[in-house]
Amino acid sequence: VTMRIAYYDESGDDGFPSYSSPLFVLTGVYLHYMKWKDAYAAIRDFRSELRKRFGLLIKWEIHTKHLLLNKKPYGSLGLPVGERISIIGLCCNLIASLDIKIVNVVIVKPRIRNSDYDILDRALTYSVQRIENDLDPSSHPENQFVIITDEGRVGKMRKTTRRIPVSYTHLTLPT
């Protein structure tokens, strides 16, 4: 079995028809299970370097919009705009250097015409199908993946993944 680990995170709310953000973005990052330690070490070292060079705390999530607009918590660092832009470039370089694959699904809520549209369910379905297509289970049945996500999403994501027709015998979310 060749296992992949897929980590999911979202941006924007998944509410509909009432919502606070017009976009919902679901990102899945996946990699071979033997590569996660290398990826983790590269990210840890990168975050340590950002701490030394720019004062970004390692525990801070990097939110591009807030960083570029010099909002909390970045404003307190007094970084000039050039350095803030440089940080984004460094993040992009790091991502490009990692042995990972990324699937982004964007739901544009103002374009939805069906009031019963389930944002997270639809985005996750599309994303899981893209990963499965990439892993090509018909030619490589040994390719499988496990999904990891924030605790608050596990129940809803488990419900969705259990009804998606996939070629794998065990597409699971850890409990």
Side-chain angles (χ1 to χ4, degrees):
V1 173
T2 304
M3 184 62 70
R4 303 299 193 289
I5 300 169
Y7 174 74
Y8 278 94
D9 201 6
E10 78 284 336
S11 180
D13 71 284
D14 61 341
F16 189 80
S18 297
Y19 52 84
S20 61
S21 64
L23 299 178
F24 177 77
V25 181
L26 182 66
T27 298
V29 176
Y30 62 106
L31 69 160
H32 190 278
Y33 79 100
M34 294 292 287
K35 302 285 185 170
W36 79 265
K37 287 183 182 178
D38 294 336
Y40 178 81
I43 294 167
R44 183 194 61 230
D45 293 347
F46 174 74
R47 294 304 304 261
S48 180
E49 185 63 26
L50 289 181
R51 172 81 171 120
K52 289 177 197 166
R53 286 180 60 186
F54 303 104
L56 270 73
L57 296 182
I58 292 173
K59 67 180 181 178
W60 286 353
E61 290 186 18
I62 298 175
H63 292 276
T64 304
K65 179 180 175 182
H66 291 121
L67 178 61
L68 291 177
L69 296 176
N70 212 22
K71 303 283 186 181
K72 283 185 181 180
Y74 314 107
S76 64
L77 299 175
L79 298 172
V81 68
E83 286 187 4
R84 295 192 314 265
I85 291 170
S86 176
I87 291 168
I88 301 304
L90 292 169
C91 289
C92 291
N93 291 340
L94 169 71
I95 292 167
S97 75
L98 298 174
D99 192 6
I100 61 174
K101 292 191 177 186
I102 302 171
V103 174
N104 290 301
V105 175
V106 179
I107 305 291
V108 182
K109 295 180 220 173
R111 294 185 184 169
I112 299 170
R113 301 294 172 238
N114 177 353
S115 62
D116 294 335
Y117 197 93
D118 187 331
I119 303 285
L120 179 59
D121 180 85
R122 202 64 75 93
L124 183 59
T125 298
Y126 295 151
S127 183
V128 167
Q129 289 171 341
R130 296 286 188 283
I131 293 173
E132 183 177 71
N133 289 344
D134 180 57
L135 297 180
D136 189 16
S138 60
S139 299
H140 302 283
E142 71 280 6
N143 287 342
Q144 298 181 14
F145 64 104
V146 61
I147 295 173
I148 300 171
T149 190
D150 298 335
E151 286 185 35
R153 298 290 183 173
V154 171
K156 193 166 186 180
M157 291 178 81
R158 182 179 291 123
K159 179 182 171 191
T160 296
T161 56
R162 285 183 175 162
R163 67 156 193 78
I164 298 173
V166 293
S167 300
Y168 304 107
T169 56
H170 54 283
L171 170 66
T172 58
L173 285 159
T175 54

